Amino acid sequence: MTTTGPAGLEPHRDPVRPRPAASITLVVDGVPVPGVDGQTVAGVLMGAGRLTWRTTRHGRPRGVFCGIGVCHDCLVTVNGLPDVRACQRRAADGDTISTEEQA
Amino acid sequence: MTVETPDVLVVGAGPAGLAAADAARKAGAQVVLLDAAGDAGGQYWRHLPAQRPAADERILHHGWDRFTALRGQEVLTDAQVWLAERHDDRPPTLHVLVGPADGRDRVRRTFAPKALVLATGAYERTLPFPGWDLPGVFTAGAAQALAKAERIAVGRRVLVAGAGPFLLPVASSLLRTGAGVVAVLEANGWPRLAKAWSRRPAELLATRHKAGELAGYLRDLARHRIPYRAATAVVAAHGTDRVTSVTVARLDDRWAPISGTAREVAVDAVCVSHGFVPRVELAVSAGCGLDAYGAVVTDHDGRTTVPGVYAAGEITGIGGADLALAEGVVAGLAAAGGSASEVQRRQRTENQRFATRLEAAHGIRPGWTGWLGDDTLVCRCEEVTAGDLRAGAEATGSRGLRSLKLSTRAGLGVCQGRVCGRTVEELLHRHTGGLLDPGRTESRPLAAFVRLGELAAAEEKEPL
């Protein structure tokens, strides 16, 4: 486990006392990434410790900035469809996510 | 194409929209309440999805009982309004796509409501600083949304900075999500804060429960020994591919950094908010008048300047959830053909006083440009720097915002200037000695990003 960057709170440490939830798996650039049913694509990626998944035309890395669908920094390709806001799109089990294509 | 004609259409299912729809329904109107998100609640009551139930979710919220009472009504979720077709003498016709966010096979619906309540809320204003485009720099709202709806902490060593009371609940949410918070930095100094919040205290009696909320947040900070520093700001973020430290400096009362006070602080995330911008694109498309702050002008019943169009919540001025709820009730009743009681109107007025204090205490001051460098990004989408903006203004000699946007590309990216619009306007205003066409960054004929292919496919299935 990394000691910097984003992290999902482990359910047994969570003061909101979560009840059991179903797991899902996304395929991110060919690699399976586990998540929790109901998470957004950004939530799954950040829960896995990932901070960025896009580069700008000037080669700068980007991920979530505003988190509410306004800034469009977090665009990602979902099941072959480019330019989907990762912070707004609810992840579905088996979704393939590609961070290779440029927005 | 079928055009639906409800008595009342409410856009936005945050506190204002939920209250408006509820009040209109109770007054006997046939109501459609829709929201672009997958769930009701707006940003204020952003919460865990139904797939992730939790026994004590309420500890992340205020007014949770009010929300659970309001959320029982029917809400059309994942419904993105992308076009408001203006009619001037009546509410606009709204074109809506319903389905997964930014998808390609969404269902197209069209509404020509007898009355329209706009409750589209606000988004954050984040002032640029060197390095603010580094991954690990978030808006405070992003940290809040990820904490409340995903149970994700944006970092392990997080600095919260900017201006306004919103910084405090964000710090509390981070703590309840397992993050370490290094400090909370408020740009305004104690004299300004004290002056705005302590004069005529009787005016704030009606909203005194907010003091209790505030005390709760401060207790959280004290328990974790987290400093709250006034007159202090993040003036730069450092790192190569992600933020690893920030420069923090003291500010004078105009928000200009005081030389010799800068120091570097190691962080893995920084959350910044300098206030909020009303989300007015639909109101502008509908023809509604705006005030000097860019908020929708309303009368005591929430009526805008367009017949049949009402507005409630943050789009009428930034004032928090209590004011949004009070405005929602009043506007919802009026939209349904009824009218609010004296008590309901008074709740609205009393909460407006709180909003006035908010601006007086925490509003952005002009000295912040002192922390910009020539190479600081201003427009994140098109990667236009502060130096590019000045050079563009000097080279063209233009005082037209529209032409300067076209020549510099600032504000023309995919976010349509939502993040940088006001900042671009303010900077160009200074460089040009005054813009001839201010306010143009609020005008967005398309209210949301839409795929031409999706619209074309919908046309084929069901021609206009």
Side-chain angles (χ1 to χ4, degrees):
Chain A
M1 194 174 178
T2 54
T3 52
T4 60
L9 184 55
E10 294 150 26
H12 68 273
R13 290 180 52 226
D14 193 334
V16 307
R17 295 198 293 140
R19 301 202 175 97
S23 299
I24 59 171
T25 304
L26 305 190
V27 180
V28 182
D29 297 327
V31 179
V33 175
V36 182
D37 192 21
Q39 280 191 301
T40 61
V41 170
V44 172
L45 292 168
M46 293 180 77
R50 191 157 173 175
L51 196 57
T52 64
W53 47 84
R54 187 175 78 92
T55 49
T56 67
R57 273 176 307 186
H58 293 168
R60 303 289 296 158
R62 296 276 172 92
V64 166
F65 175 64
C66 83
I68 64 166
V70 169
C71 78
H72 291 68
D73 260 8
C74 68
L75 294 178
V76 73
T77 298
V78 179
N79 301 327
L81 185 67
D83 300 335
V84 175
R85 289 167 295 168
C87 74
Q88 296 299 293
R89 173 60 76 92
R90 197 84 83 185
D93 191 34
D95 275 348
T96 60
I97 308 299
S98 170
T99 68
E100 306 298 316
E101 287 105 311
Q102 294 305 296
Chain B
M1 186 174 57
T2 316
V3 177
E4 299 167 65
T5 56
D7 294 334
V8 179
L9 179 70
V10 181
V11 181
L18 283 165
D22 179 64
R25 286 183 217 268
K26 285 176 178 160
Q30 180 220 346
V31 176
V32 173
L33 167 61
L34 57 79
D35 197 286
D39 218 339
Q43 300 311 327
Y44 184 72
W45 284 317
R46 185 96 175 237
H47 58 278
L48 285 165
Q51 299 95 319
R52 300 180 69 184
D56 292 334
E57 189 171 12
R58 64 171 57 242
I59 68 167
L60 302 174
H61 293 272
H62 285 286
W64 189 245
D65 290 335
R66 182 88 187 260
F67 176 53
T68 52
L70 287 169
R71 74 189 297 189
Q73 54 186 321
E74 192 179 334
V75 185
L76 178 60
T77 54
D78 286 316
Q80 177 71 61
V81 180
W82 63 274
L83 182 66
E85 210 182 316
R86 178 171 171 169
H87 302 304
D88 286 318
D89 59 336
R90 59 193 159 93
T93 303
L94 295 190
H95 297 268
V96 181
L97 289 164
V98 184
D102 303 332
R104 70 177 131 203
D105 300 313
R106 291 178 286 182
V107 175
R108 196 169 160 178
R109 289 176 71 171
T110 307
F111 295 92
K114 296 183 188 75
L116 173 66
V117 180
L118 294 172
T120 47
Y123 45 79
E124 261 166 309
R125 173 96 189 262
T126 301
L127 298 174
F129 51 87
W132 76 308
D133 56 316
L134 279 170
V137 179
F138 298 91
T139 68
Q144 182 76 320
L146 287 160
K148 285 182 169 181
E150 307 273 356
R151 303 304 290 136
I152 284 173
V154 292
R156 320 292 169 100
R157 243 185 93 75
V158 186
L159 189 68
V160 179
F166 181 56
L167 303 176
L168 294 166
V170 171
S172 285
S173 287
L174 282 164
L175 291 170
R176 284 179 171 74
T177 312
V181 176
V182 180
V184 177
L185 311 182
E186 161 68 48
N188 295 289
W190 288 116
R192 184 181 180 196
L193 299 175
K195 189 178 167 200
W197 288 112
S198 66
R199 58 202 277 258
R200 290 197 299 275
E203 270 188 12
L204 292 175
L205 267 181
T207 51
R208 61 189 175 278
H209 65 279
K210 288 184 201 287
E213 290 177 18
L214 190 68
Y217 300 136
L218 294 175
R219 270 198 304 277
D220 279 345
L221 295 188
R223 190 179 307 132
H224 292 87
R225 299 177 186 281
I226 296 162
Y228 177 85
R229 298 192 198 289
T232 311
V234 168
V235 296
H238 313 285
T240 46
D241 289 333
R242 59 191 299 166
V243 63
T244 51
S245 68
V246 291
T247 300
V248 165
R250 298 269 300 164
L251 303 184
D252 67 17
D253 58 8
R254 295 179 67 256
W255 290 23
I258 298 171
S259 63
T261 63
R263 61 192 176 86
E264 200 161 322
V265 180
V267 296
D268 66 349
V270 52
C271 304
V272 190
S273 170
H274 295 98
F276 293 89
V277 181
R279 194 169 194 152
V280 294
E281 48 271 272
L282 290 179
V284 169
S285 293
C288 301
L290 303 183
D291 68 15
Y293 293 100
V296 179
V297 175
T298 54
D299 71 5
H300 62 281
D301 273 329
R303 274 189 199 86
T304 70
T305 55
V306 178
V309 180
Y310 301 77
E314 304 295 69
I315 67 164
T316 70
I318 304 306
D322 293 313
L323 177 58
L325 286 161
E327 289 180 339
V329 170
V330 170
L333 286 171
S339 112
S341 69
E342 278 312 305
V343 174
Q344 287 163 327
R345 282 182 212 267
R346 197 163 61 237
Q347 278 174 345
R348 183 171 178 270
T349 317
E350 282 164 348
N351 278 290
Q352 276 166 340
R353 292 185 184 135
F354 178 83
T356 310
R357 303 291 180 106
L358 206 59
E359 176 62 27
H362 301 281
I364 291 169
R365 303 280 289 143
W368 67 269
T369 52
W371 66 60
L372 288 180
D374 262 0
D375 56 354
T376 306
L377 276 196
V378 173
C379 170
R380 300 169 64 94
C381 297
E382 294 292 310
E383 299 181 285
V384 180
T385 65
D388 294 335
L389 279 182
R390 194 180 49 243
E394 282 168 3
T396 62
S398 168
R399 290 176 60 197
L401 176 59
R402 189 180 139 78
S403 66
L404 285 167
K405 278 170 68 180
L406 289 169
S407 57
T408 62
R409 299 211 49 78
L412 296 184
V414 68
C415 91
Q416 294 191 285
R418 287 182 176 89
V419 176
C420 72
R422 290 197 171 190
T423 298
V424 167
E425 282 200 40
E426 283 173 23
L427 292 174
L428 287 176
H429 194 82
R430 292 189 206 187
H431 297 323
T432 58
L435 288 165
L436 301 174
D437 52 348
R440 291 198 64 110
T441 55
E442 302 292 359
S443 174
R444 300 180 186 93
L446 291 187
F449 171 97
V450 277
R451 294 173 204 281
L452 294 177
E454 188 176 22
L455 297 184
E459 290 298 314
E460 278 169 30
K461 273 185 259 175
E462 194 174 2
L464 272 170

